[in-house]
Amino acid sequence: MLMLMLGPHMIAALPRLHTPAFPTHPMSSGLNPAQLQAVAHLGGPCLVLAGAGSGKTRVITHKIARLIQHGLAPERIAAITFTNKAAAEMRERARALAGRAAQQVLICTFHALGVRLLRQDGAALGLKPQFSILDSDDVASLLKDCGASTDSVTARHWQWTISGWKNAGLDAAQALAQAKDEAQRQIALVMAKYQERLAAYQSVDFDDLIGLPLLLLQRQPEVRARWQAQLGHVLIDEYQDTNATQYELLKLLVGARAHFTAVGDDDQSIYGWRGATLDNLKRLPQDFPALQVIKLEQNYRSTGAILRAANHVIAPNPKLYPKRLWSELGEGEPVRVQACDHEEHEAERVVARIQSLRGPASDSAHKAYKDFAVLYRANHQSRPIETALRKAQIPYQVSGGTGFFERAEIKDLCAWLRLLANPDDDPAFLRAATAPKRGIGHQTLQQLGAFASQYKLSLYEALFAHSLGAAVGARAIATLHEFGRCLSDLQYRARHCHGQEAAAALLADWLQGIGYQQHLLDHADSPQQGSARWSNVLDFCDWMAQRCATPVSEDAATANAASATKGAKQRAQQTLLDVAQTVALITTLQERQQEQDVVTLSTLHAAKGLEWPHVQLVGVNEGLLPMRPEDDDAAALALRLEEERRLMYVGITRAQHTLVVSWLKRRKKGRETVPAQPSRFIAEMQLDAASVREDPRAKLRALRAEFAQRAQAAASATKPPAPS
């Protein structure tokens, strides 16, 4: 607890701790004293309070190397984070630091760890190893069936509520017992049916990947003891984002030995709306009295001016563990505040600032488009910014949008194609069998799933089992066999379909045969949405057909995946089945393309963990940031405001060199334009008004003078010399 009372200068004076050989080891180079102390603490529970930009990933990867160096087998180390991107970065950095041994370290997300637990030991809960994981759209569709509703909005509301209950550790019976009103009671009854369907389909949803492993470890002492013995040290990244279920899972994984390192920052806890709770930080010293608390306060990202604004903003929040960020990067540019007339004016100012910093008069060393980010509280705020950027021909990307291959209609088609390539893919079977619906209902799938599980068959194999008639009715068997014949026929045609034109014709004929266009129109919320989804389908089919025109030798992704196909390399063009076998690989490779040189537009939530040289926070108004809460309860209002303040803090600390905060004098609210007030957070930054209030007229005059000077210089360069 000594670290809680030390400031940055006292921390800097701390001696390098523990093993004498470690500070001189090459892998310890570049670590400050607090980071070294966190890396060197191996003997028990450790909480690392890592302020924004304080090098937490460096601490985690160095600690992995340190554990290996001290003799802990790498396969007994687990590092858990929240996103696949963060896990991939951590793996790469750990390998660079610790070499090949780091390849055996389990570095994954919480949900990937849950999958591993259930694949290995889920049989104790009635799950077969090949259980399916349903995505959000699959869940919404299943809830519609369970609740006898066709309304997508209602199904999403059920999904959100059920997810909240699961994150709190409640099953359907417990949710029903705690229901506050008749609406919640009805949702709890839908949840009970939903859980029955999941069990019958041998499927789980995203929340089950945490809840079921917790249930497994609670009910199976042998499984719990085996996992505790397996994991010699567990490191948890972004600990402040854990929910109640994840905390209980962590406790059971580490056991009484409690060899773990939790890395987090209470000032960056911004996911309360999805179940994350700061109570987990409060409970750590209570549940683990030997907990060592270490604070990382030196920031390696931002200038002093930016950090001072961040420290001021977060100061009014209650502190679990007080800390104050500091930096050796110098004072830097002052944080600037812009008052804008309306959204369009604000967007123009965004464009003008980007152009100014990229112009020849700017002394900034960071002038690429990718060095700029525009951050906002809600998605709808991006629209005027996008319009202004397009008008100025400035390339941009909207972070957090739905990727093409994540769209429901594309997932439907990919499920069919995956099933053609691998008929034993049960998740693909479940999706293809019901998209579009063809008379195969949930009861039939339930019976088929139970039969397949009993005889250890895939769903596709079970279709043609002679004894299936004992488990499924004659009418249902006829429907299932028709689906099986459709798949077999499509697989045969895809195997013998060469080239772009043939593939395009086959895909068009297939979609017409299954009535997929009508399916989209029937299940869309509006005709426009149905047409847009069908347009996506046509784009996907064009893309698939073009792949068939690519010679195998010219397509590295396809060549790698299709090399096992007999004769594939000798064919001038690929078959549709060849391409179907590589869909997952190709989409994965596309996600790994090099970073584009574009301006980033992002919500504050999606920007967490990222950084840019130049950041602009827009729409920083009362009612937007902080967003106007709907709660009437005073305690709930206070908690909501604290989280909104942390969100502002996260936005400020994304900036490395320059930060602009803009607010609107009038803003749109529905169809009206209403007077608006600057956010209270602007005043809380405690900026020097004389140095940060920009005069737009002076800025405009400077830009005009710059353009005039450039035009004059260009004219002088092209003017012919005077005759002698």
Side-chain angles (χ1 to χ4, degrees):
M1 300 299 292
L2 176 62
M3 292 297 298
L4 291 176
M5 300 181 286
L6 299 180
H9 302 295
M10 296 179 70
I11 289 175
L14 286 173
R16 296 179 182 258
L17 302 177
H18 297 282
T19 306
F22 185 62
T24 60
H25 195 279
M27 68 176 60
S28 69
S29 61
L31 297 180
N32 65 39
Q35 291 173 331
L36 275 171
Q37 186 182 9
V39 168
H41 183 76
L42 308 180
C46 179
L47 171 61
V48 180
L49 292 166
S54 62
K56 67 180 179 65
T57 305
R58 176 182 294 183
V59 166
I60 293 173
T61 52
H62 275 77
K63 191 154 191 174
I64 290 172
R66 172 76 161 171
L67 288 164
I68 296 172
Q69 178 191 0
H70 272 245
L72 184 61
E75 61 270 18
R76 297 192 61 213
I77 303 171
I80 306 169
T81 186
F82 275 84
T83 67
N84 290 320
K85 182 179 179 181
E89 179 188 355
M90 197 176 292
R91 284 190 208 102
E92 184 177 340
R93 292 174 66 171
R95 281 196 292 266
L97 195 63
R100 296 180 60 184
Q103 295 178 358
Q104 301 176 57
V105 177
L106 175 59
I107 301 177
C108 63
T109 64
F110 257 109
H111 295 91
L113 178 64
V115 170
R116 179 174 292 225
L117 272 156
L118 294 177
R119 296 282 190 216
Q120 290 187 19
D121 297 297
L125 299 178
L127 278 178
K128 64 180 182 179
Q130 297 81 23
F131 63 84
S132 304
I133 302 171
L134 303 186
D135 63 19
S136 180
D137 292 323
D138 295 329
V139 170
S141 178
L142 189 53
L143 285 173
K144 284 182 184 179
D145 288 339
C146 294
S149 173
T150 59
D151 183 59
S152 297
V153 175
T154 299
R156 292 296 184 189
H157 174 63
W158 292 344
Q159 185 177 359
W160 186 263
T161 303
I162 291 170
S163 177
W165 285 337
K166 287 188 174 186
N167 285 332
L170 303 179
D171 60 20
Q174 292 168 324
L176 182 61
Q178 297 184 21
K180 297 178 181 179
D181 50 38
E182 182 60 24
Q184 286 196 359
R185 184 176 177 276
Q186 291 302 318
I187 298 174
L189 294 175
V190 171
M191 181 180 180
K193 294 181 181 178
Y194 170 65
Q195 290 302 128
E196 291 175 1
R197 300 275 178 87
L198 287 178
Y201 294 169
Q202 285 290 300
S203 299
V204 300
D205 61 24
F206 211 53
D207 298 312
D208 289 332
L209 295 177
I210 307 298
L212 290 180
L214 173 61
L215 192 65
L216 177 67
L217 296 182
Q218 287 173 335
R219 291 183 177 179
Q220 303 293 327
E222 293 182 1
V223 175
R224 181 171 67 247
R226 186 168 66 251
W227 276 91
Q228 288 177 356
Q230 167 65 27
L231 298 178
H233 199 101
V234 179
L235 302 100
I236 309 97
D237 190 17
E238 303 287 7
Y239 177 76
Q240 77 281 349
D241 294 335
T242 56
N243 59 37
T245 307
Q246 288 164 333
Y247 179 71
E248 294 300 327
L249 179 61
L250 170 65
K251 284 176 61 179
L252 290 179
L253 284 172
V254 301
R257 290 174 63 248
H259 284 191
F260 70 85
T261 302
V263 182
D265 181 8
D266 50 334
D267 289 336
Q268 296 187 72
S269 178
I270 60 173
Y271 294 112
W273 48 274
R274 70 181 190 193
T277 173
L278 284 175
D279 288 342
N280 291 351
L281 275 168
K282 298 176 184 177
R283 291 177 62 184
L284 270 181
Q286 299 168 5
D287 293 342
F288 303 96
L291 183 73
Q292 175 79 20
V293 180
I294 301 168
K295 293 192 290 182
L296 306 183
E297 296 176 293
Q298 182 175 359
N299 177 283
Y300 294 91
R301 174 187 300 159
S302 306
T303 62
I306 293 169
L307 292 182
R308 187 163 55 251
N311 285 329
H312 285 321
V313 160
I314 203 64
N317 273 9
K319 301 296 181 186
L320 290 175
Y321 303 96
K323 62 182 179 300
R324 189 173 184 83
L325 296 182
W326 59 279
S327 170
E328 293 182 341
L329 299 179
E331 175 65 12
E333 290 286 322
V335 176
R336 304 187 184 278
V337 175
Q338 293 178 342
C340 303
D341 295 336
H342 43 69
E343 286 90 343
E344 288 72 21
H345 182 216
E346 183 177 53
E348 292 170 3
R349 301 285 292 277
V350 166
V351 169
R353 183 158 185 83
I354 293 173
Q355 292 173 332
S356 173
L357 286 169
R358 283 174 51 83
S362 170
D363 59 358
S364 173
H366 304 278
K367 296 187 176 185
Y369 285 121
K370 66 181 179 182
D371 293 332
F372 295 83
V374 183
L375 309 181
Y376 37 81
R377 177 63 177 85
N379 281 308
H380 69 83
Q381 292 174 266
S382 73
R383 293 169 191 164
I385 309 292
E386 291 187 65
T387 301
L389 291 173
R390 283 197 298 267
K391 183 178 179 182
Q393 297 184 331
I394 294 176
Y396 70 91
Q397 65 179 0
V398 181
S399 178
T402 302
F404 184 76
F405 285 90
E406 295 174 354
R407 300 180 187 276
E409 61 273 17
I410 305 304
K411 286 184 175 182
D412 287 346
L413 303 190
C414 285
W416 278 84
L417 295 171
R418 282 164 44 199
L419 203 53
L420 297 185
N422 177 20
D424 292 334
D425 187 337
D426 280 5
F429 184 100
L430 286 171
R431 186 157 195 141
T434 56
K437 292 184 180 296
R438 55 177 44 75
I440 302 177
H442 66 83
Q443 185 174 0
T444 299
L445 288 175
Q446 177 180 353
Q447 293 168 344
L448 181 65
F451 178 85
S453 179
Q454 179 181 355
Y455 292 101
K456 295 182 172 54
L457 302 171
S458 70
L459 295 175
Y460 183 81
E461 288 175 322
L463 281 182
F464 305 104
H466 294 297
S467 55
L468 182 60
V472 180
R475 184 176 178 181
I477 284 184
T479 308
L480 288 171
H481 283 174
E482 177 58 31
F483 176 55
R485 282 192 291 270
C486 177
L487 284 173
S488 297
D489 176 65
L490 185 59
Q491 185 183 55
Y492 176 84
R493 295 170 65 191
R495 181 179 289 113
H496 296 86
C497 172
H498 296 262
Q500 182 173 352
E501 290 186 10
L506 174 54
L507 289 168
D509 184 58
W510 162 54
L511 291 174
Q512 183 179 2
I514 64 175
Y516 194 71
Q517 181 178 14
Q518 191 60 47
H519 164 74
L520 290 179
L521 295 173
D522 291 343
H523 291 81
D525 294 335
S526 67
Q528 293 82 3
Q529 185 188 67
S531 297
R533 288 179 173 176
W534 178 245
S535 178
N536 291 334
V537 167
L538 296 179
D539 288 344
F540 176 78
C541 290
D542 287 343
W543 178 80
M544 289 289 295
Q546 290 169 9
R547 284 282 173 181
C548 291
T550 307
V552 177
S553 59
E554 295 179 9
D555 189 336
T558 306
N560 290 335
S563 59
T565 304
K566 185 177 181 180
K569 289 188 177 181
Q570 283 71 45
R571 290 195 294 266
Q573 295 178 320
Q574 300 178 73
T575 69
L576 184 58
L577 189 60
D578 290 335
V579 178
Q581 290 172 331
T582 66
V583 166
L585 175 63
I586 292 169
T587 56
T588 301
L589 289 174
Q590 285 191 336
E591 292 171 359
R592 295 178 182 176
Q593 286 179 344
Q594 290 185 347
E595 183 182 26
Q596 293 179 305
D597 187 23
V598 295
V599 174
T600 296
L601 307 186
S602 174
T603 63
L604 289 165
H605 284 100
K608 186 170 177 291
L610 304 175
E611 59 187 42
W612 295 269
H614 310 293
V615 170
Q616 303 185 63
L617 302 184
V618 298
V620 186
N621 283 78
E622 286 293 311
L624 287 173
L625 182 63
M627 189 168 282
R628 191 178 304 280
E630 299 175 356
D631 310 281
D632 296 323
D633 179 70
L637 283 171
L639 290 175
R640 178 71 174 269
L641 181 60
E642 289 172 13
E643 181 156 320
E644 292 288 303
R645 184 175 285 111
R646 292 193 291 269
L647 197 56
M648 179 71 175
Y649 174 85
V650 165
I652 293 171
T653 54
R654 298 312 93 197
Q656 295 173 313
H657 301 292
T658 72
L659 173 65
V660 173
V661 179
S662 61
W663 63 279
L664 307 171
K665 296 177 182 178
R666 298 183 65 84
R667 70 181 182 92
K668 292 177 182 176
K669 190 174 182 181
R671 292 180 172 271
E672 299 180 353
T673 301
V674 298
Q677 297 297 320
S679 167
R680 68 192 75 185
F681 300 148
I682 292 179
E684 289 177 1
M685 287 193 295
Q686 300 182 28
L687 304 175
D688 178 5
S691 64
V692 300
R693 302 286 177 178
E694 285 195 335
D695 181 355
R697 297 175 183 84
K699 196 77 174 177
L700 186 58
R701 285 195 295 270
L703 282 173
R704 285 174 175 168
E706 177 188 330
F707 291 145
Q709 184 178 8
R710 289 163 61 185
Q712 184 178 5
S716 300
T718 57
K719 186 176 180 181
S724 57

